[in-house]
Amino acid sequence: MARYNPKDAEARWQEKWAQSDCFKVREDPSRPKYYVLEMFPYPSGRIHIGHGRNYVMGDVVARYKRARGFNVLHPMGWDAFGLPAENAAIAQKTSPATWTYANIETMKAQLKLLGLSLDWSREIATCGPEYYRHQQALFLDLLDLGLAYRKESLVNWDPVDMTVLANEQVIDGCGWRSGAPVEQRKLTQWFFKITAFAQDLLDGLDTLERWPEKVRVMQANWIGRSEGLLMTLALEGAPQAAPQELEIFTTRPDTIFGMSFCAIAVNHPLAEHVAKGNAQAAAFIKDCQHSGTSQAVLETAEKKGFNTGIKVRHPFSGAVVPLYLANFVLMDYGTGALFGCPAHDERDLEFARKYGLPVVPVVIPDGADPATFAIGDEAYTGEGRIANSAFLDGLDVASAKQEIASRFEGMGKGQRTVNYRLRDWGISRQRYWGCPIPVIHCETCGVLPVPRSDLPVRLPDDVSFDRPGNPLEHHPSWKNVACPACGGAARRETDTMDTFVDSSWYFARFTAPHSDQPTDHSCADYWLPVDQYIGGIEHAILHLLYARFFTRAIAKAGHLSIKEPFAGLFTQGMIVHETYRDSSGAWLFPEEIEKRDGGAIAIATGAPVTVGPAEKMSKSKKNVVPPEAIVDTYGVDAARWFMLSDTPPERDSEWTQAGIEGAWRFAQRVWRVVTEPLDALGVATAPAAIGPRADELRRAAHRAIASVTDDIEQFRFNRAVARLYELVNNIQTFGAPGAGDDEKFALREALEILVVLVNPMMPHLAEEAWTLLGHETMLVDTPWPQAQAELLTQSLITLAVQVNGKRRGEITFPPGAPEAEVREAAMALDGVQRALEGKPVKRVVVVADRIVNIVA
């Protein structure tokens, strides 16, 4: 039989799958459903082979579950809004829509090369009005429920691009694209009230048993539930028009006697009063506004403070401490104010050392002497007893917290409370290429929802990017509209939604992508939740948290019946590749270099090339491999096999030439194993008598069924691959069948099992081999094999025999053989007798079904 020709077979089978619509599904209550979904891609251009790993993993699961009898939904779409399209429009003088849809067509063709079992009839693109009109309807539902609202908020403002920047887009205090110093500015923004579900989102993590523990921990930390005390402290010297008390939330009220200063955020209401009469304070505030607004940015920045001259009175000792404006205090956490206890908080200690403030330890290790215990370069954050704290001295931390809370409450100056780090989700973006927010602003009637009959609010096609800022704001007519209430002149909202909104419900839309409502309840009830979600760990917090919130929110609006969108989550590792640079430091593509003498040269010039470490495939570093090159040379099945075989799927996998060549050789090996004995195969019915050779092959094949099944269920794809290598080895060791029907039957059975088990990984090769084995139906419609329990135990096992720790031979027995028989057979081995040389045997240790140790 000729070599397997993947180029011919893969195109042919993909065409047959498409013609038969075999991956198109509909609801079928008579069958169990399985919904597998990979995080949908952003259509940024051409994909590389590194993008394919999560899609191939999802496809293995989809094909396997389909063979197990499940009604499998495996859809695909495009997360198509976002700033890169606007940047491309500016750079290439095209429209974001033209750029985006061209990329979608290119990437769709590339994904189809991978032979994925996708239901393309459900394809969606979030930039299409047929999708975002439903998103606008959901926004109005949340508006009706009070879960969407508008408020003034502090944002990162780029004064050149005239847009709000995410914290990640602020680099060293400057806009990532313009390079201009960023300002913290108050703008009126739209928000989703995710905090209304804070505790429910936290509690729900306990139900997500098929999520990685690290992801659940990351989400729990982001939600950040903390129990503490809301306390009120008296101020002295505050401006007359300002509040005369300061409200502080703290989780460590037990350290109140270590308080050496208090601090407030620069946008705290009290800070505004201070700045009115103090030019230096105003200048300090302005300086602090040229930085990011995230906690991560502020935590790592140099701690800066400005002494307001206001004093805060200690509630028990009567002493006063200074009140500072501080750049590390966040207004949107707690109350935007804190008391500093430098002895037991690293941030407070850094601040106190800088400004010469007292550092008084009030929690000391058990057994330490309060008179001598001191704080050095690090704050003490361990357990211990309270010291230097009047009536709290000698208490443990927990008891001290309760005592202080009781005293504050008794004075009417405190209240035990729960606080969350989670903040409401700001969804306003001053950009064109996003879902328009469906509200209208009327000076007479206020902010009004767009009438639902007028949805979608479509983006205009004729926008210009020749001015900085939001093109919707500059458009000559789009924003001008009649008020739906009074009919007077009004204007549309020109902010668009954060693209995270688009991806927070697309999984629900896939269940009924052509419905005239956002969801079809019966379809959503049948398919949801997603049984297996697959994507990168970089989405462990925001995307997954927003999707969990949005599911709850639209369920409250009556669109869904579930709280948790994703029952199972798997975070795959990345495909990495070496990097290459020429003498000028320019990056080179892998196809531009040639490995030689342990190094590499540039093919074009012959000059030496610096080979860098394997890194995530990146267009900027050119360490990418296009799928077309792999498919043309080795076939997509070889690429799929290599992606699954090299490392555990949760770890990064390095793409190498040797690896893909090895996968191609194995594909050819499977082809030979199947095709060479075709003329010698028997019928598919087991004969009455099975000889020992046939029995051993059957046992190997059925053990492979059990192992591969378990490995795919547990996402151990690399182990499943190893089991299939073993099965191929067993078949090749078996060789040609004898004249008996039992061996011909056993070989046919083993080959058919091999082909069905290989199918989720190498579906084109498997379909081709299945046809050659005489089957008229497609393998894609063939059930998964069932392992026969009686064949899962080995008929014989091999035990090593050692004398004084050195191997001297081996014996073969059925599992569980009597120890006396094993001992007798081991002692009778010629190698054992030669090793003993007549010495008396002290003892014989038989480790059941494993080894025999003879000690002389």
Side-chain angles (χ1 to χ4, degrees):
M1 181 66 67
R3 271 186 174 180
Y4 171 62
N5 182 353
K7 198 165 187 179
D8 167 65
E10 290 171 357
R12 184 159 30 84
W13 282 107
Q14 287 178 18
E15 180 64 23
K16 288 185 178 182
W17 294 331
Q19 288 176 350
S20 68
D21 262 346
C22 58
F23 304 127
K24 186 175 180 178
V25 294
R26 55 185 55 86
E27 297 69 42
D28 183 356
S30 68
R31 297 170 62 197
K33 68 89 181 180
Y34 197 88
Y35 185 176
V36 57
L37 180 66
E38 304 88 47
M39 294 179 184
F40 65 166
Y42 181 77
S44 59
R46 303 185 65 81
I47 66 171
H48 52 70
I49 206 70
H51 291 126
R53 194 182 191 197
N54 63 323
Y55 303 120
V56 169
M57 288 180 185
D59 195 54
V60 169
V61 175
R63 289 177 177 273
Y64 163 75
K65 288 293 184 180
R66 196 173 191 272
R68 292 298 299 269
F70 287 86
N71 190 24
V72 175
L73 173 58
H74 188 205
M76 179 56 68
W78 311 96
D79 191 10
F81 272 139
L83 192 58
E86 291 198 33
N87 292 338
I90 295 169
Q92 300 175 21
K93 299 188 183 306
T94 186
S95 73
T98 299
W99 183 83
T100 300
Y101 282 109
N103 287 345
I104 286 175
E105 289 307 305
T106 298
M107 292 175 66
K108 184 176 179 179
Q110 289 183 297
L111 283 180
K112 285 187 172 182
L113 284 177
L114 297 177
L116 306 174
S117 57
L118 294 166
D119 182 354
W120 283 105
S121 72
R122 295 173 182 259
E123 180 183 10
I124 58 176
T126 59
C127 64
E130 64 277 8
Y131 181 84
Y132 69 69
R133 79 177 177 97
H134 297 296
Q135 186 163 300
Q136 291 170 345
L138 294 175
F139 175 92
L140 296 181
D141 288 338
L142 269 58
L143 191 63
D144 291 342
L145 291 169
L147 295 174
Y149 69 97
R150 205 163 166 258
K151 73 171 183 178
E152 191 176 62
S153 173
L154 195 68
V155 297
N156 302 313
W157 179 258
D158 187 315
V160 172
D161 281 345
M162 293 196 295
T163 187
V164 171
L165 301 179
N167 286 308
E168 294 76 15
Q169 295 171 320
V170 179
I171 311 299
D172 296 327
C174 297
W176 68 287
R177 202 166 68 87
S178 70
V182 167
E183 302 170 3
Q184 290 184 22
R185 180 181 292 188
K186 284 187 177 180
L187 289 181
T188 301
Q189 305 273 289
W190 285 97
F191 288 82
F192 284 153
K193 199 171 182 59
I194 189 172
T195 54
F197 296 90
Q199 190 60 49
D200 193 36
L201 288 165
L202 189 61
D203 293 341
L205 294 172
D206 293 334
T207 70
L208 300 176
E209 297 176 355
R210 293 198 297 114
W211 279 40
E213 179 62 20
K214 62 181 178 182
V215 175
R216 293 194 291 176
V217 169
M218 291 166 73
Q219 290 223 348
N221 290 340
W222 189 266
I223 296 169
R225 186 183 194 274
S226 55
E227 298 180 4
L229 182 67
L230 189 64
M231 59 172 64
T232 302
L233 304 180
L235 299 177
E236 295 183 1
Q240 190 172 2
Q244 300 301 303
E245 291 182 321
L246 183 65
E247 195 171 54
I248 291 173
F249 171 80
T250 178
T251 60
R252 293 299 306 270
D254 55 297
T255 64
I256 188 68
F257 282 94
M259 178 175 77
S260 63
F261 69 94
C262 288
I264 58 175
V266 295
N267 53 326
H268 190 282
L270 182 56
E272 296 179 8
H273 287 282
V274 172
K276 286 178 183 177
N278 190 318
Q280 289 180 310
F284 177 82
I285 292 171
K286 186 175 182 179
D287 179 65
C288 291
Q289 289 173 341
H290 290 290
S291 63
T293 61
S294 74
Q295 184 171 354
V297 169
L298 298 180
E299 287 285 354
T300 55
E302 178 190 358
K303 305 300 179 287
K304 297 179 182 179
F306 178 83
N307 193 332
T308 65
I310 301 171
K311 304 294 184 182
V312 183
R313 184 164 295 282
H314 194 285
F316 301 110
S317 71
V320 294
V321 299
L323 176 68
Y324 282 82
L325 305 177
N327 68 336
F328 62 88
V329 183
L330 287 168
M331 187 60 217
D332 60 357
Y333 179 77
T335 63
L338 58 81
F339 76 79
C341 181
H344 307 294
D345 183 278
E346 286 296 338
R347 176 192 58 186
D348 294 351
L349 181 61
E350 180 184 341
F351 190 83
R353 296 296 192 208
K354 181 172 183 177
Y355 292 104
L357 300 168
V359 179
V360 180
V362 292
V363 179
I364 62 174
D366 289 331
D369 183 354
T372 59
F373 182 79
I375 301 297
D377 293 333
E378 295 183 0
Y380 178 69
T381 57
E383 293 296 317
R385 316 291 292 185
I386 304 298
N388 302 314
S389 299
F391 53 83
L392 296 179
D393 284 354
L395 295 177
D396 59 46
V397 169
S399 298
K401 286 182 178 180
Q402 296 304 317
E403 177 62 24
I404 284 292
S406 296
R407 296 212 178 204
F408 265 102
E409 288 173 339
M411 297 186 297
K413 295 294 185 181
Q415 179 182 355
R416 279 173 255 229
T417 188
V418 173
N419 195 45
Y420 297 92
R421 180 177 177 269
L422 183 66
R423 301 276 73 95
D424 280 342
W425 173 12
I427 66 162
S428 290
R429 298 294 182 267
Q430 291 71 38
R431 297 175 189 138
Y432 162 71
W433 194 236
C435 174
I437 296 175
V439 296
I440 292 171
H441 300 268
C442 174
E443 289 191 8
T444 303
C445 304
V447 180
L448 300 172
V450 170
R452 291 176 186 264
S453 59
D454 291 346
L455 299 181
V457 176
R458 291 176 177 266
L459 290 170
D461 296 326
D462 56 339
V463 293
S464 171
F465 294 92
D466 57 358
R467 296 169 57 187
N470 184 356
L472 294 178
E473 188 69 36
H474 304 149
H475 193 280
S477 60
W478 181 83
K479 66 181 178 181
N480 300 320
V481 66
C483 173
C486 70
R491 64 176 185 85
R492 297 186 192 277
E493 173 64 68
T494 57
D495 285 356
T496 54
M497 295 187 203
D498 180 7
T499 55
F500 273 121
V501 183
D502 311 342
S503 57
S504 289
W505 73 286
Y506 77 108
F507 47 87
R509 186 64 186 168
F510 272 139
T511 66
H514 310 298
S515 172
D516 61 359
Q517 298 296 318
T519 65
D520 179 303
H521 230 299
S522 63
C523 296
D525 287 347
Y526 177 77
W527 290 114
L528 291 174
V530 175
D531 296 281
Q532 188 62 64
Y533 199 36
I534 303 170
I537 191 68
E538 67 271 18
H539 299 296
I541 297 178
L542 292 185
H543 162 58
L544 292 172
L545 188 63
Y546 291 156
R548 295 180 63 223
F549 153 72
F550 210 74
T551 299
R552 285 163 165 79
I554 65 175
K556 192 171 183 179
H559 294 285
L560 297 175
S561 302
I562 61 169
K563 282 187 173 183
E564 294 295 344
F566 312 119
L569 172 68
F570 187 83
T571 54
Q572 90 284 350
M574 298 179 293
I575 296 285
V576 299
H577 196 290
E578 290 178 333
T579 55
Y580 310 107
R581 303 183 86 159
D582 64 18
S583 58
S584 69
W587 301 103
L588 299 175
F589 287 107
E591 61 266 29
E592 295 179 306
I593 68 102
E594 178 183 327
K595 293 290 186 71
R596 184 180 295 180
D597 300 327
I601 63 166
I603 294 174
T605 64
V609 168
T610 300
V611 180
E615 298 182 32
K616 175 185 175 182
M617 283 192 179
S618 160
K619 294 176 185 177
S620 63
K621 294 186 178 180
K622 295 188 176 181
N623 63 333
V624 296
V625 178
E628 293 89 345
I630 299 302
V631 172
D632 287 346
T633 306
Y634 302 103
V636 69
D637 280 343
R640 290 170 62 114
W641 187 260
F642 179 47
M643 289 180 199
L644 298 164
S645 65
D646 193 46
T647 54
E650 67 274 12
R651 298 182 190 169
D652 291 349
S653 176
E654 183 174 1
W655 186 271
T656 64
Q657 189 67 23
I660 185 62
E661 289 174 356
W664 178 83
R665 286 194 299 272
F666 182 74
Q668 296 295 333
R669 186 179 170 200
V670 171
W671 182 250
R672 290 194 304 272
V673 163
V674 172
T675 57
E676 286 177 354
L678 283 175
D679 294 338
L681 298 182
V683 297
T685 304
I690 300 290
R693 281 189 80 231
D695 182 67
E696 277 304 301
L697 182 58
R698 294 195 71 209
R699 289 177 184 277
H702 282 260
R703 286 196 302 273
I705 295 173
S707 298
V708 172
T709 300
D710 184 58
D711 287 334
I712 294 179
E713 290 281 358
Q714 301 298 323
F715 264 72
R716 297 190 297 250
F717 301 129
N718 60 313
R719 288 181 57 176
V721 163
R723 305 290 189 187
L724 291 168
Y725 274 113
E726 290 176 13
L727 179 56
V728 170
N729 289 339
N730 284 321
I731 294 172
Q732 288 187 313
T733 300
F734 179 81
D741 288 342
D742 63 332
E743 292 190 5
K744 293 179 179 179
F745 161 76
L747 182 56
R748 169 175 284 280
E749 180 189 41
L751 291 176
E752 292 192 350
I753 287 172
L754 170 65
V755 170
V756 177
L757 296 184
V758 161
N759 178 52
M761 292 86 162
M762 295 195 289
H764 311 84
L765 170 62
E767 289 278 14
E768 194 81 348
W770 190 247
T771 300
L772 289 177
L773 287 169
H775 296 280
E776 296 182 357
T777 58
M778 288 196 297
L779 183 55
V780 74
D781 296 319
T782 301
W784 194 254
Q786 299 295 313
Q788 296 180 20
E790 65 272 18
L791 295 176
L792 294 182
T793 58
Q794 291 176 278
S795 58
L796 295 173
I797 58 174
T798 300
L799 292 81
V801 179
Q802 295 182 341
V803 176
N804 293 333
K806 292 186 178 181
R807 189 185 182 101
R808 297 299 182 182
E810 57 186 35
I811 53 177
T812 302
F813 270 93
E819 184 174 318
E821 294 181 15
V822 174
R823 189 194 312 260
E824 182 180 348
M827 291 298 299
L829 287 173
D830 290 341
V832 170
Q833 292 301 317
R834 286 195 300 271
L836 289 174
E837 297 178 338
K839 299 174 186 174
V841 174
K842 296 179 181 178
R843 65 180 183 276
V844 178
V845 180
V846 177
V847 180
D849 299 339
R850 291 181 60 190
I851 197 169
V852 180
N853 287 311
I854 300 169
V855 181

